[in-house]
Amino acid sequence: MKKFEARAGFVMQAYRFALDPNVGQEQGLRSHCGAARAAYNWAVSWVTATWWQRRAEQSYGVAEEQLTPWRPMSLPSLRKAFNEVKHTDARFAGWWADNSKEAYSTGLANAAAAFDNYTKSKQGARAGRQVGRPRRKSKRGARLSCRFTTGTIRVEADRRHVTLPRLGAIRTHENTRKLQRRLTAGTARILSATVSLTRGRWFVSFQVEVIRDARPPSRQPDTVVGVDLGVKHLAVLADSTGKIRYVPNPGHYDNALAKLRRLSRRVSRREGPDRRTGRTASRRWLKANAERNRVHHRIANLRADALHKLTTEIRAEYATVVVENLNVAGMLANRRLARKIADAGFGQIRRQIEYKGEWAGGVTVKADRWYPSSKTCSECGVVKDKLPLHVRVFACEQCPLVMNRDANAARNLAALAAAVVAGTGVAGDQDAKASNPRGADRQTRATTRPRKRPGGRAGGAIPHQRTETGIFAEPERSRSGDGKNFTDRKVGIADVRLWNQ
């Protein structure tokens, strides 16, 4: 599916407002979100049923040309198939007309995107971690969300209501003047609206095409700053003029940890729900759990507010910002620092600096993940072989430089901006190629990991997918003779050949 691109002079921006729906409107919101989940589950089951059917037929020795044909996974094909079965399928026939068609389109679009990501990941055409096969969404754990792209979608002139298809006018908790002014002036156009239940409150998010005039930094437009993220200090800023500034870590979660522990003990003493026995939660448990959730929601809101203020201030002051391309997911594997890192929000800082820099017409340089910013001397350029994490002061052995390791790293990051502009390939120049700056200090794996099963789908490889045979794949779960218990077995060469027939 072709990705939407904004027109020349426009940028994509989201405006999110909290809603205050009445009882009937909240029931309609939940119905639309449930319809989106039901359509998603139908699409996943409809497509994967063919995969398992083909695999069963192959186990019976059916020839390739006689196997059940693949079912399409594109959005138009899913819409056509769903429109045919919704009138006769007992799962939808009695209530599908109660919701807008956009609810079902939301689920089908999400399913089509999930299958597309899975296919590209299996073919090696998608960066990042390998994406697993799409699975059905649980009614209890799925996030309530629904997207509207057609129909009546507008912000009312009173700046206190928004109108959505089949839901009508819903009062907003806050004033919508920021978006209403742009719509009235003709500098914004609403493309879609997404309603979702987040942290116990309903929100509507408008995807808007906006004209934003580039505002260059007013304070230091010609200064380069390096941003080094950390736990003790949320960020250390070192600019090209030699100024170093420390941004303390607010530690919102740690500040509320004692209160959360007390509330969690109170929740544990109440009679909570039990799915195994069918026991429902008591009123006292619901009240205690709601009080604990309010603390979690407040922590998340404070964190988001602090990060937005920090990144906006950085972008308003500097035109060129150098940030690190940290492996946040890998850093969270450290059980000693995971809580601190998650509370800091490293990934959000980099993301916000990037898109706010595009709005302001600035430059964002991403340092290479393996660039030794902390181990490199910012004065003479000598790189240390080792610098343990507990050593917080950098002392150079070749020159008399002694300073905080985070400040030294921020100075090195600021110096990388000149290298990127010159095209040396260091730290973020995507087109140029340079040697690994970390060198021999980078840890490498002595043994190679076993490759995963080449079959893209159950019952065969994805069409036009390059497969490899002669290897062992991951363990597969198979049913035992009683049809209830599962056992693990290794998938060998014979199985790989069977999948590729």
Side-chain angles (χ1 to χ4, degrees), residues 255-273:
N255 294 337
L257 190 58
K259 186 176 182 179
L260 283 175
R261 287 172 177 170
R262 176 173 55 84
L263 295 177
S264 296
R265 287 195 299 267
R266 180 183 301 175
V267 173
S268 66
R269 296 189 182 108
R270 304 294 189 262
E271 185 175 336

Side-chain angles (χ1 to χ4, degrees), residues 392-454:
R392 307 310 304 169
V393 177
F394 181 88
C396 183
E397 300 174 355
Q398 302 295 329
C399 67
L401 177 67
V402 177
M403 66 184 310
N404 182 278
R405 63 176 291 162
D406 295 333
N408 177 70
R411 292 179 59 181
N412 289 325
L413 293 175
L416 283 178
V420 173
V421 173
T424 60
V426 180
D429 193 344
Q430 302 296 332
D431 298 329
K433 295 182 179 180
S435 59
N436 180 12
R438 187 169 182 178
D441 185 52
R442 177 174 179 176
Q443 296 180 358
T444 56
R445 186 177 297 274
T447 59
T448 59
R449 295 179 177 176
R451 301 192 180 186
K452 295 189 175 181
R453 185 174 61 199

Side-chain angles (χ1 to χ4, degrees), residues 126-373:
R126 187 179 188 276
R129 292 185 176 182
Q130 191 171 8
V131 178
R133 184 170 59 247
R135 296 180 296 179
R136 293 169 57 90
K137 293 183 179 180
S138 170
K139 183 178 180 179
R140 297 179 179 85
R143 178 172 178 264
L144 297 181
S145 177
C146 179
R147 186 168 182 243
F148 300 92
T149 57
T150 59
T152 305
I153 305 174
R154 65 171 179 264
V155 179
E156 299 297 342
D158 62 355
R159 300 179 178 178
R160 277 297 182 179
H161 292 82
V162 296
T163 301
L164 300 174
R166 295 296 296 271
L167 296 173
I170 304 177
R171 182 173 177 82
T172 59
H173 184 75
E174 49 194 332
N175 200 303
T176 61
R177 59 180 177 272
K178 291 185 178 180
L179 178 57
Q180 177 63 27
R181 289 172 180 172
R182 288 187 173 272
L183 294 174
T184 304
T187 59
R189 181 170 67 100
I190 296 178
L191 302 177
S192 65
T194 303
V195 293
S196 60
L197 182 64
T198 305
R199 301 168 191 165
R201 179 182 285 276
W202 286 98
F203 290 89
V204 57
S205 178
F206 293 99
Q207 186 182 19
V208 185
E209 195 179 34
V210 183
I211 297 178
R212 294 186 64 94
D213 298 332
R215 297 181 180 180
S218 57
R219 285 173 278 184
Q220 302 186 50
D222 300 328
T223 306
V224 180
V225 65
V227 182
D228 182 77
L229 304 179
V231 173
K232 183 177 181 181
H233 297 97
L234 180 60
V236 179
L237 310 179
D239 55 31
S240 54
T241 62
K243 179 181 177 182
I244 300 178
R245 181 160 61 97
Y246 295 87
V247 179
N249 190 349
H252 301 293
Y253 187 83
D254 285 345
N255 294 337
L257 190 58
K259 186 176 182 179
L260 283 175
R261 287 172 177 170
R262 176 173 55 84
L263 295 177
S264 296
R265 287 195 299 267
R266 180 183 301 175
V267 173
S268 66
R269 296 189 182 108
R270 304 294 189 262
E271 185 175 336
D274 192 345
R275 293 174 54 187
R276 296 172 297 179
T277 61
R279 185 183 65 188
T280 59
S282 65
R283 290 176 178 266
R284 288 161 55 84
W285 185 92
L286 293 175
K287 182 179 178 179
N289 187 56
E291 185 177 0
R292 180 181 59 176
N293 289 341
R294 282 194 294 269
V295 178
H296 279 294
H297 299 163
R298 176 174 173 78
I299 294 171
N301 293 332
L302 289 173
R303 182 187 301 115
D305 179 71
L307 295 182
H308 273 290
K309 288 180 178 179
L310 172 62
T311 54
T312 301
E313 182 182 359
I314 292 175
R315 273 305 176 184
E317 186 172 359
Y318 303 100
T320 304
V321 181
V322 185
V323 295
E324 295 177 292
N325 185 19
L326 298 176
N327 182 17
V328 181
M331 297 169 65
L332 291 176
N334 187 340
R335 63 183 181 87
R336 298 181 181 274
L337 298 176
R339 190 181 69 193
K340 301 277 189 181
I341 294 173
D343 189 25
F346 291 163
Q348 283 292 324
I349 294 177
R350 185 188 66 186
R351 184 186 69 87
Q352 293 177 14
I353 286 178
E354 288 182 7
Y355 80 77
K356 291 180 181 180
E358 295 177 359
W359 290 355
V363 179
T364 303
V365 179
K366 292 187 296 183
D368 184 81
R369 180 169 295 179
W370 301 105
Y371 176 72
S373 59

Side-chain angles (χ1 to χ4, degrees), residues 65-106:
E65 58 276 4
Q66 297 179 355
L67 294 176
T68 301
W70 298 107
R71 282 178 175 173
M73 300 178 295
S74 62
L75 178 57
S77 301
L78 293 177
R79 281 179 176 172
K80 182 178 180 181
F82 180 78
N83 290 333
E84 293 176 355
V85 304
K86 67 181 181 182
H87 299 279
T88 57
D89 195 330
R91 294 173 294 179
F92 303 98
W95 58 272
W96 70 267
D98 297 341
N99 303 302
S100 172
K101 64 180 180 65
E102 292 296 315
Y104 308 102
S105 297
T106 299

Side-chain angles (χ1 to χ4, degrees), residues 108-121:
L108 299 178
N110 293 340
F115 282 114
D116 183 63
N117 293 334
Y118 171 65
T119 303
K120 290 181 179 179
S121 179

